[in-house]
């Protein structure tokens, strides 16, 4: 039985890996395009992302080592990010963007775990799908897989401590994390391409108008979808949620 | 309890659908191109001399191939999600029996 689960997990991971290899992020994703950051910024964002990536690897090892049962849920969180980042959605600005899907995994496993999963997605997209890029991978990983998850994590912890019900905390965390990803993307572009007259701030407001504004309704959608999936996990996967200390051991209905 | 949850989930889905359809109606006639294409234009505007110094190693040969890969991404992600939920649902039921 245990062996079977192991086998299933291996298949799932292979499946996921293949999925990520084949996964095109949309032509119109939020990722910074290949070659669009000068070398010094490319290097800087790589350096900033690396420590989080390393911590993520340690964290995954620890989580899975302590409880191999959670591997499947980890695959689930990864799959959620894949599926969501495949959804190119229209926005009120008349252009399209897509959610990140890393919020769910962040709430379940912590921010640095999603640094690893998010970076893997971005790497394959850069290599095989011409979305984002190798030179901008560090920057894109920083916005989607470091900054977004960190904000999600903080908002989640803070809301829970402030007494918000689980569904509300999940919604706010996922939505704000999603939005933050695009704010950081705008900032990264502004720092690399300051406006000749207004400097970084003028540039930042131009990029924010494109990325962040488009993203607002999508961030709400991501929040709602994350709550939806959380409800399903609450119904069918309560043991894992208890083990991850998301919900208390006995009963106490949160939603 | 369970039906109440199902009810909530349906409402959540409807809200997402409404959020998605609203822009199509509200700004009908818009191009709905990508946000990053616009960003490229802004960079060209702010920093006219900038030349991307590296280009993608490989890109999907056509829009059709791209949407093929793209649909596959959604399908595989959804596949794993539903596999997990189905597995847990069955397991829960088996434990109850």
């Amino acid at each position: 039985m245990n062996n079977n689960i192991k086998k299933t997990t291996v298949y799932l991971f292979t499946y996921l890996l293949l999925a990520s290899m084949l996964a095109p992020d949309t032509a119109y994703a939020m990722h910074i395009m290949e070659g669009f950051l000068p070398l010094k910024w490319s290097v800087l964002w790589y350096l900033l992302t690396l420590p989080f990536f390393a911590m993520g690897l340690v964290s995954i090892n620890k989580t899975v080592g302590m409880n191999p049962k959670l591997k499947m849920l980890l695959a689930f969180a990864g799959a959620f990010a894949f599926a969501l980042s495949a959804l190119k959605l229209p926005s009120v600005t008349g252009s399209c963007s897509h959610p990140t899907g890393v919020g769910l995994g962040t709430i379940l496993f912590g921010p640095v775990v999603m640094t690893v999963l998010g970076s893997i997605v971005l790497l394959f997209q850069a290599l095989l799908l011409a979305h984002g890029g190798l030179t901008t991978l560090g920057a894109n990983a920083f916005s989607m897989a470091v900054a977004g998850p960190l904000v999600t994590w903080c908002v989640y912890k803070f809301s829970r401590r402030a007494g918000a019900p689980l569904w509300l905390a999940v919604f706010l965390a996922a939505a704000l994390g999603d939005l933050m990803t695009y704010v950081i993307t705008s900032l990264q572009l502004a720092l690399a391409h300051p406006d000749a007259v207004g400097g970084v701030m003028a540039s930042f407001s131009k990029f924010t108008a494109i990325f962040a504004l488009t993203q607002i309704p999508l961030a709400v959608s991501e929040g709602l979808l994350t709550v939806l999936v959380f409800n399903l996990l609450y119904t069918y996967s309560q043991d894992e949620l208890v083990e991850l200390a998301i919900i208390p051991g006995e009963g106490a209905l949160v939603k | 309890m369970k039906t109440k949850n199902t009810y909530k989930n349906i409402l959540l889905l409807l809200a997402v659908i409404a959020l998605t359809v609203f822009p199509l109606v509200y700004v009908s006639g818009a191009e709905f191109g990508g946000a990053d294409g616009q960003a490229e234009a802004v960079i060209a505007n702010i920093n006219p001399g900038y030349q991307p110094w590296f280009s993608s190693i490989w890109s999907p040969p056509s829009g059709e191939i791209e949407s093929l890969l793209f649909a596959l991404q959604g399908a595989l992600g959804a596949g794993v999600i539903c596999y997990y939920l189905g597995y847990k649902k069955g397991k829960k039921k088996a434990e109850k029996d």
Side-chain angles (χ1 to χ4, degrees), chain A residues 119-139:
Chain A
S119 301
I120 292 172
V121 183
L122 288 168
L123 175 67
F124 284 119
Q125 288 172 347
L127 281 178
L128 294 165
L129 301 146
H131 299 304
L134 289 179
T135 60
T136 52
L137 181 65

Side-chain angles (χ1 to χ4, degrees), chain B residues 1-2 7 14-15 18 21 31 36 49 52 55 58 96:
Chain B
M1 201 299 273
K2 204 176 144 194
Y7 197 57
L14 287 177
V21 173
E31 268 182 34
D36 63 352
S55 49
W58 185 82
K96 225 186 243 170

Side-chain angles (χ1 to χ4, degrees), chain A residues 96-135:
Chain A
C96 286
S97 186
H98 64 78
T100 66
V102 294
L104 178 76
T106 301
I107 293 167
L108 293 173
F109 295 104
V112 288
V113 168
M114 292 319 278
T115 305
V116 177
L117 293 184
S119 301
I120 292 172
V121 183
L122 288 168
L123 175 67
F124 284 119
Q125 288 172 347
L127 281 178
L128 294 165
L129 301 146
H131 299 304
L134 289 179
T135 60

Side-chain angles (χ1 to χ4, degrees), chain A residues 236, chain B residues 2 83-94:
Chain A
Y236 298 120
Chain B
K2 204 176 144 194
Y83 177 93
Y84 181 82
L85 290 173
Y87 174 79
K88 295 302 289 184
K89 185 178 180 176
K91 210 173 152 198
K92 200 177 161 189
K93 197 169 172 239

Side-chain angles (χ1 to χ4, degrees), chain B residues 15-91:
Chain B
V16 172
I17 292 171
L19 268 171
T20 310
V21 173
F22 175 72
L24 295 176
V25 180
Y26 180 70
V27 281
S28 57
E31 268 182 34
F32 292 107
D36 63 352
Q38 291 177 25
E40 240 175 279
V42 172
I43 292 174
N45 193 328
I46 293 175
N47 205 346
Y50 189 79
Q51 284 296 325
W53 55 284
F54 200 83
S55 49
S56 300
I57 297 169
W58 185 82
S59 29
S62 77
E64 277 66 28
I65 304 299
E66 193 181 307
S67 52
L68 162 70
L69 295 168
F70 171 64
L72 214 57
Q73 173 183 3
L76 290 176
V80 174
I81 289 171
C82 293
Y83 177 93
Y84 181 82
L85 290 173
Y87 174 79
K88 295 302 289 184
K89 185 178 180 176
K91 210 173 152 198

